[in-house]
Amino acid sequence: MKTDLYIHPDYYNMDSMLSEEHKLIREATRSWVKKEVVPIIDENYENATFPNHIIPGLGEVGAFGPYIPEKYGGPGLDQISYGLIMQELERCDSGLRSTASVQSSLVMYPIYSWGSEEQKEKYLPKLATGEMIGCFGLTEPDFGSNPGGMLSNYKDSGDHVVLNGSKMWISNAPFADIAVVWAKNEDGRIHGLIVERGMEGFSTPEMHGKLSLRASATGELIFDNVKVPKTNILPGKSGLGAPLKCLDSARYGIAWGTLGAAMDCYDQALRYSKERTQFGTPIASFQLIQKKLAEMITEITKAQLLTLRLGQLRNEGKATSAQISMAKRNNCEIALNIAREARQIHGAMGITDEYSIMRHMANLESVITYEGTHDIHLLITGMDVTGIPAFKKE
Ligand code: TGC
Ligand code: FAD
């Protein structure tokens, strides 16, 4: 079995800006990940399976709804703790973090923010422990970057509504117990509905053939005249702004998570470069290797500062959607670049599963695309600074 030697880089002593509680939460997650997930992740990645048996453990480390109050079964942590947990999970594998992000930010967050008291009491405590798993259906086959065009719709039918349509690329879908689904009512207004596995006409076929994020289950959601009780509609918010607000929370977690993947790649590259000898000397002594390592740690340090500051703003309730987009975009980009450079430092060994680098690199191709593509986030920043949206052709 491989030994996990990870030591996280902290060039600017960022740890001095964390509380003792933050460090304890990070350490607890790191130890659990090292013990329970690191030894099995390669096999799951290779087999394209999610290790369902670790779900209760994810609940125990607080990875499901870290900021959900204790009243609803969550640990009631702050936003920086949430970020640190995501960082430790993605340090191991983006698919692991994905499962937790979807459950936390895309399922628990909307139920907590806009659910009725009955919905909160029914679903949140079970989601917090992992007794129940959720997924989030926004993307459709013809509406990815432009979710506002969605075709999924429902019609009023007495005490229930009848839902039709389909969603694609849905993380956790194949084994989720519930789906938070975004669909239009008869007036064309978007609402969130909680659809439960077992409702007649609702199916979740698994999508196969992914060469990225293989340790995360992805599927479709198909609604064929599904009768959804009206009590399952989220009453507190409607319009595209509702699912986009959930994305803010998930994108924030991804900013922390991708930094974890970047730090893992850098840590391995630094160690390998000191151990690997060529031309009678450690490759770390070559200027070109040092250039790669110096640039990696510089980008990681800048991203750590950006991300922690964003966490402080989130704690104060002051982070804007555009600030979150900037961090998601930046951290995905630096993580992918660092994974590519770390792969080169490892030479041929870098393409094997001896190291997690190639797996991170392949995973990050999904992460740079989902939750808003790299270019969509660039356009969000462009719109924010100019006041002019460049998404649509008039
Ligand atoms: P637009 O007209 O700009 O906005 C519609 C309404 O939404 C409001 N809004 C936001 N609200 C909260 N947070 C945000 N980030 C928001 N962005 C916009 C906006 O104020 C407006 O409100 P109102 O009251 O005026 O109606 O919308 P648009 O149709 O022009 O689209 C804008 C665009 C392109 C930025 C947006 O649609 C977008 O972000 N597209 C990307 C789609 C995306 O990210 N999909 C992700 C699907 S989920 C996923 O990938 C999960 S992966 C999970 C995992 O495994 O980790
Ligand atoms: P498209 O929107 O078709 O984009 C294709 C290309 O066109 C991109 O390069 C894009 O940047 C570019 N483009 C599009 N519009 C513009 C524009 N206006 N200006 C400039 N360029 C533009 N979705 C969910 O709802 N729930 C999930 O749980 C979920 N999980 C996912 C898991 C995985 C592994 C993956 C890969 C995706 C997941 N998604 C999920 C879907 C994801 O959010 C979408 O793939 C993403 O939003 C992009 O949509 P698309 O793939 O349809 O690409």
Side-chain angles (χ1 to χ4, degrees):
M1 192 190 292
K2 280 187 284 184
T3 315
D4 183 358
L5 301 169
Y6 178 63
I7 303 169
H8 81 265
D10 187 12
Y11 202 71
Y12 264 39
N13 193 13
M14 300 291 294
D15 270 15
S16 65
M17 294 166 80
L18 298 177
S19 68
E20 284 312 307
E21 191 189 25
H22 289 145
K23 287 186 245 181
L24 282 172
I25 288 163
R26 182 180 63 194
E27 189 46 43
T29 313
R30 186 174 299 171
S31 307
W32 177 80
V33 166
K34 276 194 179 195
K35 184 162 174 275
E36 303 294 339
V37 198
V38 169
I40 58 164
I41 192 66
D42 287 315
E43 191 185 340
N44 278 273
Y45 192 86
E46 196 171 323
N47 296 336
T49 49
F50 179 78
N52 288 57
H53 70 274
I54 65 165
I55 285 174
L58 278 165
E60 278 162 29
V61 296
F64 293 151
Y67 47 77
I68 298 294
E70 289 175 13
K71 180 180 175 200
Y72 296 113
L77 302 173
D78 74 346
Q79 289 288 320
I80 293 172
S81 305
Y82 164 44
L84 289 166
I85 293 172
M86 296 302 125
Q87 187 167 288
E88 292 305 315
L89 298 183
E90 194 149 2
R91 200 281 294 182
C92 175
D93 190 83
S94 302
L96 179 66
R97 195 268 310 136
S98 248
T99 300
S101 310
V102 169
Q103 179 93 338
S104 303
S105 293
L106 302 183
V107 178
M108 297 176 78
Y109 174 84
I111 295 175
Y112 172 64
S113 304
W114 312 305
S116 65
E117 196 52 39
E118 294 73 40
Q119 290 168 349
K120 290 183 207 185
E121 284 170 13
K122 179 175 177 189
Y123 298 110
L124 291 176
K126 288 185 177 167
L127 289 163
T129 57
E131 195 181 329
M132 202 176 245
I133 289 289
C135 66
F136 174 89
L138 181 65
T139 305
E140 297 189 357
D142 293 327
F143 298 94
S145 298
N146 175 27
M150 69 174 69
L151 299 176
S152 292
N153 67 88
Y154 64 88
K155 293 191 168 45
D156 198 308
S157 186
D159 62 350
H160 62 270
V161 297
V162 178
L163 175 65
N164 278 292
S166 66
K167 301 286 175 181
M168 197 177 177
W169 292 113
I170 308 304
S171 302
N172 298 355
F175 57 83
D177 302 285
I178 61 168
V180 171
V181 175
W182 301 92
K184 288 179 177 167
N185 68 10
E186 284 156 276
D187 299 326
R189 182 93 182 149
I190 295 171
H191 286 262
L193 299 90
I194 305 169
V195 181
E196 297 187 13
R197 184 172 294 285
M199 286 181 174
E200 207 179 324
F202 174 44
S203 56
T204 61
E206 182 153 8
M207 295 172 67
H208 297 285
K210 280 183 301 163
L211 299 179
S212 164
L213 220 76
R214 286 174 64 78
S216 160
T218 312
E220 295 173 63
L221 303 177
I222 296 172
F223 318 107
D224 179 9
N225 287 315
V226 184
K227 287 183 184 170
V228 182
K230 280 187 179 163
T231 49
N232 280 33
I233 298 177
L234 298 177
K237 191 169 169 73
S238 65
L240 186 59
L244 291 179
K245 195 105 185 112
C246 304
L247 297 185
D248 278 357
S249 175
R251 291 166 177 174
Y252 166 75
I254 290 173
W256 282 90
T258 46
L259 192 45
M263 295 196 296
D264 192 47
C265 292
Y266 167 77
D267 177 59
Q268 290 178 68
L270 180 61
R271 195 173 308 110
Y272 186 85
S273 69
K274 290 182 193 167
E275 289 166 358
R276 175 72 176 165
T277 298
Q278 285 294 291
F279 298 95
T281 181
I283 60 169
S285 67
F286 299 130
Q287 286 184 350
L288 290 175
I289 297 287
Q290 289 189 8
K291 176 175 186 288
K292 290 188 202 309
L293 293 167
E295 286 176 350
M296 285 182 197
I297 190 62
T298 304
E299 290 307 319
I300 285 171
T301 304
K302 280 153 62 182
Q304 285 171 332
L305 286 160
L306 178 82
T307 312
L308 183 61
R309 176 65 189 139
L310 186 66
Q312 292 167 342
L313 289 170
R314 288 280 291 177
N315 274 346
E316 293 163 12
K318 290 183 187 158
T320 66
S321 299
Q323 285 169 336
I324 295 168
S325 279
M326 181 185 280
K328 191 269 184 187
R329 182 175 187 277
N330 180 74
N331 293 8
C332 284
E333 180 170 39
I334 67 129
L336 198 44
N337 289 341
I338 287 168
R340 287 176 182 144
E341 295 287 282
R343 216 288 306 145
Q344 291 206 48
I345 288 177
H346 283 75
M349 286 309 291
I351 71 157
T352 70
D353 65 3
E354 268 304 289
Y355 299 90
S356 52
I357 293 166
M358 190 79 186
R359 179 163 48 75
H360 280 311
M361 202 166 109
N363 280 339
L364 288 163
E365 291 291 346
S366 284
V367 184
I368 205 165
T369 294
Y370 67 34
E371 295 276 3
T373 67
H374 202 53
D375 285 346
I376 288 294
H377 287 295
L378 178 107
L379 294 177
I380 290 172
T381 306
M383 176 171 70
D384 197 46
V385 296
T386 64
I388 308 167
F391 305 110
K392 301 171 194 174
K393 297 253 175 272
E394 294 305 330

